[in-house]
Amino acid sequence: MKSPHSKTITRLFLQLLILVILSSCSSPSNKVTISADATLPQIAFALDELNTAFGAKGLVALRNDIEDADIVFSIQDGDGMLKEEGFSITRESGSIQVKGADAAGAMYGGLELAEQVGLYGLDGVKEITRNP
């Protein structure tokens, strides 16, 4: 006959096992990887707004400083089409690209992305180019 203490330990072990199994089965589709230079205050601000929008949609943002992230922030090189503080949001190779003419443009692009995610969800993000 098992002691009450033994039954409690067995019950706790089973609960822990169930928790581990359930957490390992959670869908990776609620995780979004982002590649961005968060040392720039403008981009850090946009990332905060994106995190708020993601949270409202049940998404979790993970930093991933590689180019194949779900969302990639960048600043255009030299003579691009974007003017000062301009930005574009495009879909390329399965990821969302947020490109700014400068750090302010990348921030405005990130804020636009956060607004779109809040309205339409991540799958509903529309491509856009804006030059002030």
Side-chain angles (χ1 to χ4, degrees), residues 65-76:
D65 291 328
I66 58 173
E67 294 301 314
D68 67 346
D70 298 315
I71 299 172
V72 178
F73 278 78
S74 63
I75 297 176
Q76 80 178 359

Side-chain angles (χ1 to χ4, degrees), residues 20-127:
V20 168
I21 290 170
L22 289 176
S23 66
S24 68
C25 293
S26 65
S27 171
S29 64
N30 69 337
K31 295 182 175 92
V32 180
T33 56
I34 300 176
S35 175
D37 183 357
T39 62
L40 297 171
Q42 299 92 330
I43 293 177
F45 177 72
L47 291 175
D48 286 343
E49 295 299 312
L50 265 176
N51 282 329
T52 300
F54 288 155
K57 294 293 184 180
L59 301 170
V60 177
L62 303 172
R63 288 295 314 276
N64 181 353
D65 291 328
I66 58 173
E67 294 301 314
D68 67 346
D70 298 315
I71 299 172
V72 178
F73 278 78
S74 63
I75 297 176
Q76 80 178 359
D77 299 329
D79 298 331
M81 294 179 9
L82 299 172
K83 298 177 184 171
E84 186 176 341
E85 296 185 352
F87 69 88
S88 67
I89 298 173
T90 58
R91 291 186 174 270
E92 296 175 21
S93 305
S95 69
I96 296 173
Q97 305 287 319
V98 179
K99 184 177 285 189
D102 48 27
M107 176 191 71
Y108 292 131
L111 296 175
E112 173 67 26
L113 179 60
E115 184 174 334
Q116 287 196 35
V117 167
L119 292 172
Y120 314 116
L122 195 58
D123 292 334
V125 171
K126 297 166 180 55
E127 293 190 350

